[in-house]
Every structure is written in structure tokens, then in C-alpha cells.
Amino acid sequence: MSFDGMFTHVMVNELNQNLRGGRIAKIQQPFANELILTIRSNRKNQQLLLSAHPSYARVQITDQPFANPAKPSTFVMSLRKYITSAIIQDFKQLNNDRIVIVDLSAKNELGDIHEYRLITEIMSRHSNIFLLNKENGKIIDLIKRVSPENNSFRGLLPGDDYKLPPAQNKINPFSTKNENLQDLSAADIRQKYEGIGLDTSYELEKFIAAGQTLDDFMNLYENHLMPNTANTKDKHKLGFFPIGFSNTTTEVNTYASLSELLDNYYLDKARVDRIEQQTKSITHRLDIILKKDKSKIKKLNKQLSQTDVMAKYNLYGELLTTYMSQVKRGSSSIVLTNYYNNEEVKIKLNPEYSPSDNAQHYYKKYRKLQNSIPHVQEQLDITTNEVNYLESVLASLEYVDIEDVDGIVDELIDSGYIKKKRRNARKKRKKHVGEDFQSSTGVDIIVGKNNIENDQLTMKLSQKNHYWFHVKDIPGSHVILKTSDPDEQSITEAATIAAYYSKARDSSKVPVDYVKIKNIRKPNGAKPGYVIFEGQKTILVDPDRQLVADLKAK
């Protein structure tokens, strides 16, 4: 689901419940299109995020930390001049549109009270944030200034009169009563009603088809209890919903507030998007290699399947040799008795060959296939190992943090999959291997963030009596629990970290193997990160972002 008008409606309600009456204590602009207002409300400071980002535009309370740039922007300077210490009077939504209005009152240097409006328009790449003088409707400043040459509909410069975006002339669904939607499709609903996005329209269509009314649907938004987010198992696909949607079949996590929901959603989405952007050319190259390898594996398996034919060729040679006197020169076939099972066997012959040459012909085909098997099996093992390795690298890009990408790039350069660019262009590798955590009972835990680190941690840097954790049968990081006598809590937490740093991050009841490092070995010539082990135990855990963050902070 997108941040549509319906989501905006419940978000405005949440903002009023938490921030109305609060005072603006600090104003920051950590990124070009995003604003953070620290608001003192209910005896605590809360961060209000206003975003005009082309992909992540939204309004929410956030708990995420943001760095304050050393030099404030012109927009921030304007905001600090007019609304520092301002009181939030109200949050409003314009009809059911994605426009959030914050009414403010602030005292000037003389102590006179003036009214202002902070307006966030959530419109993809046209998103913007405005500070208005409420008394005359003029723009004091805005986060994205647009010259008249690039926008003829309305002025988007300081001093211009604020004019609303072009009206769509749709109905506000919250202002209707007893509307009959029985014959409307999802597309019809979006065309008729304001602020209803794609996912919401499909949910409403199903809702109506089940015999409920538009009023019932609107009441869910007015009285929503627990917001939801759905994390799909498909690569890079995430969704979020303000109420329980029935049109998602994915696993759903619930959060205490819409803002907490969005923090989790956009934290993952921004991470995935940044990594995807930075590694697009690399993943494209690896995908090409994977495609070729998988095609090669099919051909090699087809060759191995000819072992049945090979046995048949050997049998034909034996039978022709045994019954040589019955084979007539010039025959194109002969039926002989298989003395292993007394069944009749029809054997094709080359009329131009002698009986002995026909027997040798089959022996020769048998030996050719027999001699090829070790080579085919060797190639199959090599190619299969490469597929497993490349899939583990691609999977790691789904769960690592942006700062870990350089290590994966280094790994691919060392493995020969991508070329090293200019020597000075690459950053120095970090000296510390892995990422450190500590269990609730004080046991150190360390996680490899790429396959080279996995090898170093498991095979070189860890003690043989310490414990190794890894998700069962799917790509993931190596996790080391640095103790020879772990308590149950530490085992569970180390397994949870292993599940979180794996392709199973968005699943539940994830099986994680754990074993002492002395029971692990690395085959000669194996790809980075690949090990074999025995004597392991398996534990089922649920990946838990908050637990992982808490253990990392320790």
C-alpha cells in the first residue's frame, strides 16, 4: 500500500493524539527533502518527520536518529526564524487528499502572536513542504523552490500566494452516507472517491462483495485498533496497511502505532533501495553468470542421466561377444537372450561391420561414456558450488546494511567475479572482522557480514570449543557465540541473530543449526563461506529486529 489519502486520515488522527498542544523545540533538515521537528509534548520530546522525498514522502512521528548538518539550509533558517517555540494548534487533512496541514501559533520578538501553517503535500516527485503566513496566505518559504518557467499553474517561490494543487473533483469518502458501491470495480472506486489508493480500492471491492457497506469500511479507519505491516517473501517487496487487510496472504506484523509501522517499513525500504542502486551493475552481472550456470547444470545432469545407456552399451558388447557365432554379417539387428535375467534383447547392428566390430563398437561407446563421467561430475560439483556461492552473495545484499556493501564488493573482486577498478578508488578494508553483539547474559556474539568474513571468523579467528550458528539450508551469515558452555538464553539470542542476518529475515519459525566449531571443516577449493559440519542441533526462532538492535547496543 502507498501513503494514500486513507492512510493520511488515520495518521492525522494519530498526530493529533500525540502532538497537539506541543511546542516546537528544535528544527533540523537532515536530508535535502526531509524535515525533523523536535516537539515537546506530554512531558517528552518527540520527532515529527515531514518528508517531500520523491519515493518516501510522508508525515509521521519517528524514533530514528538523524544527524544535524553543520550548516542549516535556507529553509531551516526561515523556519527557525518564524516557528521556533511555536505551539501546535491542530493537524488537519485537506478533505481526503494527501495534504497535511499543521496550524501553528508563535510569538514574534515583540511578543505578538502570529498564526502560521506548515503544509506537506505528498505527491511523489512533486511533493513539497510549505511555511505559510496563515493571516494572508502567502508562502514564507518552501523546501523545493520552482521557477515560473517550470510551473505555470501556481507560484512556488517565497512571497507567492499559496494555491492548492489542481483539484481532481472526486468525492471525499468520509463525507458520504449510505453510498451503494455494489456494482463498482476497484478502478471505478478509485475514479469516484478521493484518496483511495490501489490496494485500498481492492480491499474495499472485496469488502463490498462480502455484503458490507462503505460506511462500515470508513468506520474501520475511524476506529482502527492496531496498525499492520505485511512483509512479503518476494524479493524487495514490502507493504503496509493501517488496518488488517484481507487481500494480503503474506505474514503480517503488528505495531503499536502507525509511526512505528512506518519506521520499520521505510528503514527496510530505504536500505533495500540504496543497496539496489549501489549494486545494480554487480547484481546484473551475477544474474547473467547464474543463468549460464543453471543452464550448464541442466546439460550436465542430462549427460549423467546417460549412465543407464552406458550400462546398456556394455551389455550389448558382452552379448555380441558371447553369441558371436549367431551374429550374421550384413544383419541390421539381432535378438539375443540376456543371461542375467533370461529376457530377450534386440540389438541394432551396422550391416557393414563384422560381428566382432559391432561388439567393439558398443564397448567403445560404453568406455567413452564411462570415461566422461568423472569429468562431468567434477564440472557439476564446481558449477553447483558456484551457484550456491553466487546465490549466497545475492541473498546477503538483501539483509546487510549499506556500510557492509564494500566488503561484499571486495569479496567479489578477490573471487574474480568483478574487475578491480582504480587502486585508489577502493576504500581500505576495515581491520575489525565481523559485527559485535552481546547476549542478555553477557556472552559475546560476532557476525560475519560477507563470505570472506564468515571464513575468517569460523576457520581462523574463533576457538574450537566456541559455538557456530547458521540458518538451516539457506544463505545467511556465520554467527559465533564465544563460549564453550552457553546458557539457553544466549543460544536463543545467537540463533535469532543468525535468522535475522539471513534470507529468512522476514519469515517465522526459522530453523537454525548450531554446533561447536571443532565439528566444522572447509573442503579444499570450496568457495568463500562454504563449510560442512556434523553433530549439529537445530532450534526454531523468529527473527526480531528490536532484539537484534538491543543486543548490538549492548
Side-chain angles (χ1 to χ4, degrees):
M1 177 181 177
S2 61
F3 200 112
D4 65 1
M6 301 294 289
F7 195 95
T8 304
H9 183 89
V10 284
M11 176 56 77
V12 165
N13 289 341
E14 178 174 295
L15 295 175
N16 273 320
Q17 290 170 14
N18 288 276
L19 300 178
R20 184 160 52 191
R23 179 180 59 83
I24 297 176
K26 186 188 294 185
I27 302 171
Q28 301 166 261
Q29 190 179 339
F31 303 108
N33 300 313
E34 295 182 335
L35 192 68
I36 294 288
L37 305 182
T38 301
I39 298 171
R40 184 70 179 174
S41 178
N42 299 320
R43 298 184 179 181
K44 62 181 179 180
N45 289 338
Q46 299 183 74
Q47 293 185 133
L48 174 64
L49 168 64
L50 307 178
S51 175
H53 190 285
S55 302
Y56 315 137
R58 64 198 188 278
V59 178
Q60 66 165 106
I61 298 168
T62 180
D63 289 330
Q64 297 303 310
F66 292 92
N68 192 17
K71 185 178 180 180
S73 68
T74 303
F75 185 50
V76 166
M77 294 298 289
S78 294
L79 293 174
R80 289 175 179 174
K81 177 181 178 181
Y82 290 99
I83 63 171
T84 295
S85 298
I87 303 300
I88 295 178
Q89 301 296 335
D90 198 13
F91 287 90
K92 299 176 182 177
Q93 178 187 19
L94 181 67
N95 300 319
N96 197 42
D97 205 350
R98 293 180 299 168
I99 297 177
V100 178
I101 302 167
V102 188
D103 282 334
L104 305 165
S105 62
K107 291 182 180 180
N108 63 11
E109 296 173 351
L110 300 176
D112 299 324
I113 295 177
H114 291 276
E115 304 293 328
Y116 299 96
R117 271 190 166 165
L118 200 56
I119 298 179
T120 305
E121 297 177 353
I122 302 170
M123 301 186 299
S124 301
R125 64 188 181 91
H126 298 296
S127 298
N128 215 329
I129 303 171
F130 302 81
L131 176 64
L132 306 184
N133 184 326
K134 186 178 177 182
E135 295 158 6
N136 59 22
K138 289 191 177 294
I139 299 172
I140 296 173
D141 210 342
L142 63 168
I143 203 166
K144 296 179 185 176
R145 299 183 180 188
V146 181
S147 65
E149 292 80 10
N150 296 322
N151 181 43
S152 58
F153 178 78
R154 59 176 180 159
L156 293 174
L157 292 172
D160 289 335
D161 291 325
Y162 176 74
K163 186 177 181 181
L164 289 170
Q168 295 182 313
N169 298 320
K170 295 182 180 180
I171 300 171
N172 180 353
F174 288 98
S175 65
T176 61
K177 289 291 181 182
N178 302 318
E179 287 276 325
N180 182 10
L181 307 185
Q182 200 63 46
D183 298 325
L184 295 185
S185 66
D188 294 332
I189 291 170
R190 294 195 302 275
Q191 187 65 31
K192 182 175 181 178
Y193 293 100
E194 181 182 36
I196 295 183
L198 187 66
D199 286 335
T200 310
S201 68
Y202 284 119
E203 179 68 14
L204 180 52
E205 182 183 43
K206 289 184 65 175
F207 198 82
I208 299 301
Q212 302 189 70
T213 67
L214 176 62
D215 292 349
D216 294 331
F217 192 71
M218 294 300 110
N219 286 336
L220 291 177
Y221 279 80
E222 292 289 13
N223 305 303
H224 80 288
L225 298 176
M226 186 70 74
N228 299 272
T229 181
N231 298 314
T232 73
K233 295 179 181 178
D234 296 333
K235 183 179 179 181
H236 297 343
K237 291 187 178 179
L238 301 164
F240 61 87
F241 311 94
I243 61 173
F245 270 25
S246 61
N247 64 8
T248 176
T249 57
T250 58
E251 296 177 11
V252 175
N253 300 319
T254 59
Y255 296 93
S257 67
L258 295 171
S259 293
E260 184 183 338
L261 178 159
L262 293 180
D263 267 351
N264 281 271
Y265 171 80
Y266 282 106
L267 192 65
D268 272 339
K269 179 170 174 55
R271 177 186 61 81
V272 168
D273 287 352
R274 287 198 303 269
I275 291 175
E276 189 175 44
Q277 183 178 14
Q278 187 169 334
T279 62
K280 190 174 183 179
S281 62
I282 295 173
T283 55
H284 178 66
R285 174 169 173 74
L286 298 188
D287 283 337
I288 291 173
I289 298 173
L290 267 175
K291 187 176 181 180
K292 289 181 179 178
D293 280 350
K294 290 179 178 179
S295 176
K296 184 177 180 180
I297 286 173
K298 286 183 179 179
K299 292 178 181 178
L300 291 170
N301 279 323
K302 187 175 181 180
Q303 287 179 257
L304 281 181
S305 68
Q306 292 182 327
T307 52
D308 291 341
V309 178
M310 180 182 73
K312 189 183 294 184
Y313 289 159
N314 187 48
L315 175 65
Y316 290 174
E318 285 184 10
L319 294 179
L320 289 173
T321 301
T322 303
Y323 300 111
M324 187 79 69
S325 60
Q326 298 180 29
V327 182
K328 296 181 180 180
R329 191 181 185 100
S331 298
S332 58
S333 66
I334 189 171
V335 176
L336 299 174
T337 301
N338 180 353
Y339 41 72
Y340 292 110
N341 57 18
N342 291 321
E343 293 181 356
E344 298 295 308
V345 178
K346 185 176 182 179
I347 304 173
K348 287 185 178 181
L349 302 174
N350 188 330
E352 297 181 1
Y353 288 176
S354 67
S356 176
D357 288 343
N358 270 299
Q360 292 303 315
H361 170 70
Y362 279 112
Y363 278 132
K364 186 176 180 179
K365 293 179 74 171
Y366 162 72
R367 285 192 295 271
K368 183 178 180 181
L369 284 175
Q370 186 184 45
N371 292 336
S372 72
I373 285 177
H375 173 73
V376 172
Q377 187 61 58
E378 180 185 17
Q379 288 299 307
L380 182 60
D381 290 342
I382 291 172
T383 309
T384 301
N385 287 337
E386 181 172 67
V387 166
N388 292 336
Y389 170 70
L390 294 178
E391 287 183 339
S392 76
V393 172
L394 289 171
S396 68
L397 291 173
E398 295 182 36
Y399 60 78
V400 298
D401 297 320
I402 189 69
E403 59 267 21
D404 300 314
V405 171
D406 284 342
I408 294 174
V409 172
D410 285 343
E411 174 189 333
L412 291 170
I413 290 172
D414 291 346
S415 300
Y417 287 101
I418 59 177
K419 292 181 179 180
K420 180 179 178 180
K421 295 183 180 179
R422 296 188 305 274
R423 180 172 295 179
N424 295 331
R426 282 178 58 198
K427 297 179 180 178
K428 291 182 180 179
R429 292 183 186 175
K430 60 181 182 181
K431 293 181 180 179
H432 181 70
V433 177
E435 190 162 352
D436 297 318
F437 297 79
Q438 191 176 84
S439 75
S440 299
T441 56
V443 182
D444 290 335
I445 302 170
I446 190 163
V447 179
K449 303 306 284 291
N450 57 63
N451 284 311
I452 290 177
E453 287 193 354
N454 288 337
D455 271 358
Q456 291 176 302
L457 287 174
T458 301
M459 307 310 300
K460 296 180 180 180
L461 301 179
S462 299
Q463 297 181 23
K464 296 298 182 182
N465 61 346
H466 287 171
Y467 278 81
W468 176 89
F469 291 74
H470 193 282
V471 286
K472 189 177 185 67
D473 299 330
I474 59 175
S477 291
H478 292 202
V479 174
I480 309 298
L481 183 62
K482 302 176 76 172
T483 179
S484 60
D485 186 24
D487 58 276
E488 291 299 322
Q489 181 72 15
S490 295
I491 289 174
T492 300
E493 290 174 350
T496 300
I497 292 173
Y500 183 78
Y501 286 105
S502 79
K503 198 170 183 178
R505 172 177 287 191
D506 296 323
S507 303
S508 60
K509 299 292 182 285
V510 177
V512 176
D513 291 330
Y514 65 100
V515 68
K516 280 192 174 182
I517 292 175
K518 66 181 181 181
N519 294 324
I520 297 173
R521 66 184 181 89
K522 187 174 183 67
N524 291 333
K527 292 285 186 183
Y530 179 78
V531 295
I532 55 178
F533 50 92
E534 59 185 5
Q536 73 275 14
K537 295 181 180 179
T538 304
I539 182 175
L540 294 177
V541 294
D542 294 328
D544 186 334
R545 179 201 300 279
Q546 189 58 53
L547 175 63
V548 170
D550 292 344
L551 298 179
K552 184 176 181 180
K554 287 170 68 70

